[in-house]
């Protein structure tokens, strides 16, 4: 029985050690604890009274603490929680982006250390960067893959004033020049179960209480006290913000105030961008990323990442789809109304139609171009008005047609080389093309997809609306065009 | 003549210097205070506790205030009352004040002082009746020592501890 009791005692001692220091920190770092002692006495006659006083000041130190890392809240009133950003699929070389929030919980300003790591699979190259965003979505610290420092403020509230002002011990907050709270900062006020993000509107720094008699030498003077003027942080509603969204309410501390002794912490929004290029055809690349955040002493480590993931404390950045481009060339005897196939037979003087089909069932490919030649013993057929219309006799006019599954463009060969009137609205680039000449052996170049031009290929697949050129954005009524077909005709000599 | 004048001046100065001792005998009590904290240090392989000046403290740490008084006057000081409001942002640690002279505490910012066991207050309870309660130490707002007499040349000190909130 005795042994059991000892075991229980040891266990409780261990548990006590594990309690973080912040649990006790209910005074802001930099607070001045002023103690004034007065001595009153009388002389031997008991008639004359005298007084003397003395004071000491003690400053409260910073208790470092880890940042509270959460999913970027969708509303300003939120319950903090963390989960890795949702997975999606991206083109090889495309970019995965996720936004998280990091909120200070210490009793004062600290310089946190950030570092990002990434591990890729089936990727020839990959990278991960992080960017610190301001409340309005603008960049506060540019994207980097290197370690960096981030100064965040937090303080323990000692009261509120009016509807919108948080009070802190006089002289405890850092000045704006020292990176203290400043207008536009996001601060999170603790209401117990939920938290609310506000924007700092104005900061007014006060000063600690003081006393004239202090130092090392005793005095017979009674001294004079300077009253404390508390530091004030005025806040306002946090609305229309990138990453946080709507739902920010104006503070009403006169009706609902944060409890005295709770932390008001600055929140930083961090955007993580991950990119990878698939190392092999048909093999999708994936990346695990981990943003490590510590306090200025490299303790209290927190991660943008989940402890239960493998590797631990990482988040997956989705699949960077390998391109799966396929090309198929078919031919038919147009004059005899034959069917497209691998081969066709023709008598001299008859017209053959070629059909080139480009399909990509994988990740988006850039600079998609088809290089072809006018077959030997044939001559390119051109049309006066439209592809398949009235045959032109001077070797100019329309010579080919590109179809992306939704829109069709007809390509011309003329003095200016190539023109492809693209569809109007929505306006994708279906493709462009160029015929070097109409004679056998002349090059036929075709440039496919969004972003293509008269001299370079675009992306395949592409959206039928050029403004939505990722598969995630390309939703109904638009279509994600994976298959492009090119038709042209030649006349057998 | 010149020499005589100088002598006379010196004599006046001597008389002036001696006068307070005779004519205005009075107590002159000064007080100083130091704020310290206890830290664990390893000396000769053993962990020992040592008091160091508390310039900066962590929330949750204890500050030991030592108030030293000295009567540098030539007469005893009577009814010496040392009053110290518990500093804002800290809480008094029960039982830490030295039992010197007459020790009393206040819960009303120094308006009234009582012995700890007598420190009571009334609250309207659930039944609507006033209920008498005893103040818990962290409600103490002031600590006070009353020392009946400090003789000329006498010194002494009192101390108490607080915990930083």
């Amino acid at each position: 029985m005795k042994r059991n009791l000892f075991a229980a005692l040891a266990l409780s001692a261990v548990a006590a050690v594990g309690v973080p220091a912040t649990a006790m920190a209910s005074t802001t770092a930099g607070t001045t604890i002023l103690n004034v002692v007065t001595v009153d006495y009388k002389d031997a006659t008991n008639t004359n009274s005298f007084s003397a006083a003395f004071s000491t000041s003690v400053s409260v130190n910073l208790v470092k603490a880890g940042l509270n890392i959460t999913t970027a809240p969708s509303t300003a009133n939120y319950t903090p929680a963390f989960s890795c950003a949702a997975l999606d699929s991206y083109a090889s070389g495309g970019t995965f982006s996720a936004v998280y929030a990091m909120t200070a919980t210490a009793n004062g300003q600290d310089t946190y250390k950030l570092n990002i790591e990434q591990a890729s699979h089936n990727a020839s190259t990959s990278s991960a960067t992080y960017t610190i965003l301001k409340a309005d979505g603008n960049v506060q610290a540019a994207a980097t893959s290197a370690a960096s420092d981030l100064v965040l403020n937090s303080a323990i509230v000692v009261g509120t004033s009016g509807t919108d002002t948080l009070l802190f011990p006089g002289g405890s907050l850092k000045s704006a020049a020292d990176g203290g709270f400043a207008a536009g900062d996001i601060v999170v006020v603790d209401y117990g179960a939920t938290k609310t993000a506000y924007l700092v509107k104005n900061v007014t720094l006060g000063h600690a209480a003081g006393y004239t008699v202090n130092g090392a030498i005793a005095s017979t003077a009674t001294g004079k006290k300077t009253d404390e003027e508390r530091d004030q942080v005025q806040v306002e509603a946090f609305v229309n913000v990138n990453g946080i969204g709507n739902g920010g309410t104006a503070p009403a501390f006169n009706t609902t105030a944060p409890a005295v002794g709770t932390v008001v912490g600055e929140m930083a929004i961090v955007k993580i961008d991950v990119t990878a290029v698939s190392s092999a055809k048909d093999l999708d690349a994936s990346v695990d990323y981990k943003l490590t955040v510590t306090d200025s002493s490299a303790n209290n480590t927190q991660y943008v990442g989940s402890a239960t993931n493998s590797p631990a404390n990482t988040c997956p950045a989705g699949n960077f789809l390998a391109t799966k481009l396929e090309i198929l060339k078919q031919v038919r005897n147009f004059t005899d109304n034959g069917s497209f196939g691998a081969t066709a037979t023709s008598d001299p003087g008859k017209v053959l139609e070629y059909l080139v089909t480009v399909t990509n069932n994988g990740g988006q490919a850039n600079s998609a171009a088809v290089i072809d030649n006018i077959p030997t013993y044939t001559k390119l057929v051109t049309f006066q008005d439209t592809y398949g219309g009235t045959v032109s006799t001077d070797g100019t006019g329309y010579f080919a047609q590109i179809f992306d599954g939704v829109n069709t463009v007809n390509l011309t060969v003329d003095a200016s080389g190539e023109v492809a009137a693209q569809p109007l609205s929505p306006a994708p680039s279906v493709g462009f093309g160029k015929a070097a000449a109409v004679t056998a052996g002349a090059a036929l170049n075709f440039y496919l997809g969004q972003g293509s031009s008269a001299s370079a290929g675009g992306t395949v697949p592409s959206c039928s609306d050029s403004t939505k050129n990722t598969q995630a954005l390309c939703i109904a009524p638009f279509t994600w065009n994976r298959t492009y077909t090119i038709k042209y005709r030649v006349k057998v000599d | 003549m010149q020499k005589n004048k100088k002598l006379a001046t010196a004599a006046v100065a001597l008389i002036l210097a001696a006068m307070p001792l005779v004519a205005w005998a009075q107590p002159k009590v000064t007080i100083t205070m130091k704020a310290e904290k206890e830290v664990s240090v390893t000396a000769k392989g053993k962990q020992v506790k040592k008091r160091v000046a508390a310039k900066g403290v962590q929330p949750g740490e204890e500050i030991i205030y030592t108030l030293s008084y000295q009567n540098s006057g030539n007469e005893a000081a009577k009814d010496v009352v040392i009053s110290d409001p518990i500093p804002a942002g800290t809480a008094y640690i029960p039982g830490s004040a030295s039992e010197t002279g007459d020790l009393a505490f206040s819960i009303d910012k120094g308006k009234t002082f009582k012995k700890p066991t007598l420190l009571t207050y009334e609250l309207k309870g659930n039944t609507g009746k006033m209920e008498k309660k005893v103040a818990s130490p962290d409600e103490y707002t002031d600590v006070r020592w009353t020392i009946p007499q400090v003789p000329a040349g006498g010194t002494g000190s009192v101390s108490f501890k607080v915990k930083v909130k």
Side-chain angles (χ1 to χ4, degrees):
Chain A
M1 274 313 287
K2 266 200 168 166
R3 187 175 287 173
N4 283 344
L5 187 63
F6 272 111
L9 277 173
L11 205 67
S12 65
V14 168
V17 169
V19 175
T22 42
M24 297 192 300
S26 51
T27 305
T28 304
T31 301
T32 300
I33 297 174
L34 174 71
N35 189 3
V36 180
V37 62
T38 312
V39 61
D40 300 299
Y41 57 97
K42 289 176 177 164
D43 62 10
T45 62
N46 235 357
T47 49
N48 296 311
S49 296
F50 308 90
S51 291
F54 203 78
S55 73
T56 59
S57 289
V58 176
S59 182
V60 175
N61 289 340
L62 172 68
V63 178
K64 292 173 185 179
L67 292 178
N68 185 18
I69 295 181
T70 60
T71 308
S74 56
T75 70
N77 307 316
Y78 69 104
T79 306
F82 177 83
S83 60
C84 289
L87 281 177
D88 207 339
S89 293
Y90 303 87
S92 176
T95 303
F96 159 92
S97 293
V99 174
Y100 298 95
M102 306 187 294
T103 308
T105 64
N107 68 332
Q109 185 191 78
D110 198 9
T111 303
Y112 298 90
K113 296 184 176 301
L114 280 58
N115 192 31
I116 197 161
E117 293 164 82
Q118 51 98 13
S120 63
H121 318 280
N122 302 327
S124 54
T125 61
S126 63
S127 71
T129 63
Y130 60 97
T131 311
I132 306 297
L133 301 178
K134 290 183 194 170
D136 58 8
N138 288 328
V139 172
Q140 178 184 317
T144 179
S145 56
S148 74
D149 288 349
L150 175 66
V151 174
L152 287 178
N153 296 283
S154 47
I156 315 289
V157 71
V158 291
T160 56
S161 165
T163 57
D164 61 358
T165 302
L166 299 163
L167 300 175
F168 300 96
S172 66
L173 299 186
K174 301 277 187 190
S175 68
D178 288 333
F181 286 118
D185 285 351
I186 311 167
V187 289
V188 176
V189 169
D190 193 342
Y191 288 105
T194 64
K195 294 176 191 291
T196 300
Y198 296 107
L199 287 184
V200 174
K201 193 177 176 187
N202 192 31
V203 177
T204 310
L205 296 183
H207 55 76
Y211 204 78
T212 52
V213 184
N214 53 34
I217 300 157
S219 165
T220 49
T222 48
K224 231 179 173 181
K225 192 180 180 188
T226 314
D227 284 333
E228 177 192 21
E229 247 180 58
R230 285 173 166 180
D231 292 345
Q232 301 180 19
V233 176
Q234 189 184 20
V235 298
E236 60 187 344
F238 184 12
V239 289
N240 294 326
V241 172
N242 183 23
I244 294 275
N246 287 326
T249 48
F253 298 144
N254 51 334
T255 53
T256 313
V260 168
T262 53
V263 176
V264 171
E266 185 178 353
M267 177 193 276
I269 295 181
V270 61
K271 177 166 156 276
I272 292 176
D273 293 309
V274 177
T275 180
V277 174
S278 159
S279 60
K281 191 170 173 271
D282 298 345
L283 272 180
D284 298 340
S286 65
V287 176
D288 295 309
Y289 62 93
K290 173 170 81 173
L291 182 73
T292 306
V293 186
T294 70
D295 65 23
S296 54
S297 307
N299 293 321
N300 292 307
T301 308
Q302 301 290 325
Y303 302 98
V304 171
S306 173
T308 53
N309 280 352
S310 179
N313 304 315
T314 63
C315 281
N319 294 313
F320 296 87
L321 301 175
T323 57
K324 292 174 185 170
L325 269 176
E326 288 168 353
I327 190 163
L328 175 69
K329 190 173 184 181
Q330 292 171 298
V331 64
R332 67 168 178 147
N333 188 322
F334 178 76
T335 310
D336 294 347
N337 203 21
S339 300
F340 282 113
T343 57
T345 55
S346 172
D347 298 331
K350 289 195 172 176
V351 173
L352 299 175
E353 187 170 44
Y354 284 93
L355 175 68
V356 178
T357 306
V358 173
T359 306
N360 183 0
N361 284 318
Q364 218 167 13
N366 294 316
S367 307
V370 173
I371 314 298
D372 207 346
N373 287 292
I374 300 172
T376 48
Y377 308 115
T378 68
K379 194 179 171 190
L380 189 65
V381 178
T382 58
F383 304 91
Q384 290 174 12
D385 41 10
T386 184
Y387 177 79
T390 309
V391 173
S392 166
T393 51
D394 60 0
T396 65
Y398 296 90
F399 77 96
Q401 187 175 66
I402 301 177
F403 176 61
D404 68 359
V406 175
N407 292 296
T408 303
V409 293
N410 296 317
L411 309 179
T412 64
V413 53
D414 55 22
S416 66
E418 62 289 321
V419 175
Q422 301 297 326
L424 291 175
S425 178
S429 299
V430 175
F432 289 81
K434 186 177 187 175
V438 296
T439 50
L444 291 175
N445 294 349
F446 300 98
Y447 306 113
L448 304 178
Q450 173 63 37
S452 60
S453 69
S455 58
T459 54
V460 174
S462 285
C463 188
S464 57
D465 179 350
S466 63
T467 62
K468 300 178 170 59
N469 203 28
T470 66
Q471 193 173 2
L473 290 173
C474 191
I475 50 174
F478 307 110
T479 56
W480 188 240
N481 299 323
R482 293 187 172 280
T483 302
Y484 285 70
T485 54
I486 303 161
K487 281 181 189 173
Y488 63 90
R489 292 180 197 169
V490 295
K491 192 173 184 181
V492 180
D493 293 344
Chain B
M1 275 308 284
Q2 279 284 346
K3 201 179 260 182
N4 282 347
K5 200 175 184 178
K6 264 189 185 167
L7 272 172
T9 314
V12 170
L14 252 175
I15 291 161
L16 277 174
M19 270 175 78
L21 293 173
V22 183
W24 296 302
Q26 65 173 47
K28 185 180 163 191
V29 178
T30 56
I31 188 152
T32 58
M33 170 165 45
K34 55 183 179 182
E36 293 173 310
K37 59 179 180 179
E38 252 178 13
V39 291
S40 289
V41 290
T42 311
K44 292 174 187 169
K46 278 187 178 176
Q47 281 242 320
V48 291
K49 288 197 169 176
K50 192 181 167 189
R51 283 190 184 187
V52 294
K55 280 185 183 161
V57 291
Q58 307 268 65
E61 272 191 323
E62 292 179 4
I63 305 175
I64 306 151
Y65 286 111
T66 306
L67 318 172
S68 305
Y69 55 87
Q70 178 180 15
N71 184 1
S72 58
N74 56 3
E75 187 188 89
K78 284 185 138 183
D79 295 336
V80 178
V81 179
I82 298 168
S83 315
D84 196 340
I86 305 296
T90 69
Y92 173 74
I93 294 173
S96 66
S98 42
E99 299 277 349
T100 304
D102 182 14
L103 173 65
F105 296 91
S106 171
I107 59 165
D108 55 10
K109 298 193 173 178
K111 281 183 201 155
T112 58
F113 281 86
K114 286 181 176 174
K115 290 281 193 185
T117 47
L118 300 174
L119 198 62
T120 58
Y121 57 98
E122 287 186 332
L123 267 184
K124 208 168 238 179
N126 294 334
T127 55
K129 275 187 179 175
M130 294 302 275
E131 289 176 8
K132 208 167 200 178
K133 299 201 172 206
V134 177
S136 65
D138 60 2
E139 289 172 277
Y140 291 169
T141 60
D142 295 69
V143 56
R144 188 181 79 179
W145 293 266
T146 306
I147 300 158
Q149 182 163 316
V150 178
T155 61
S157 69
V158 291
S159 70
F160 69 104
K161 289 187 201 175
V162 297
K163 189 170 192 172
V164 180
K165 284 183 186 170

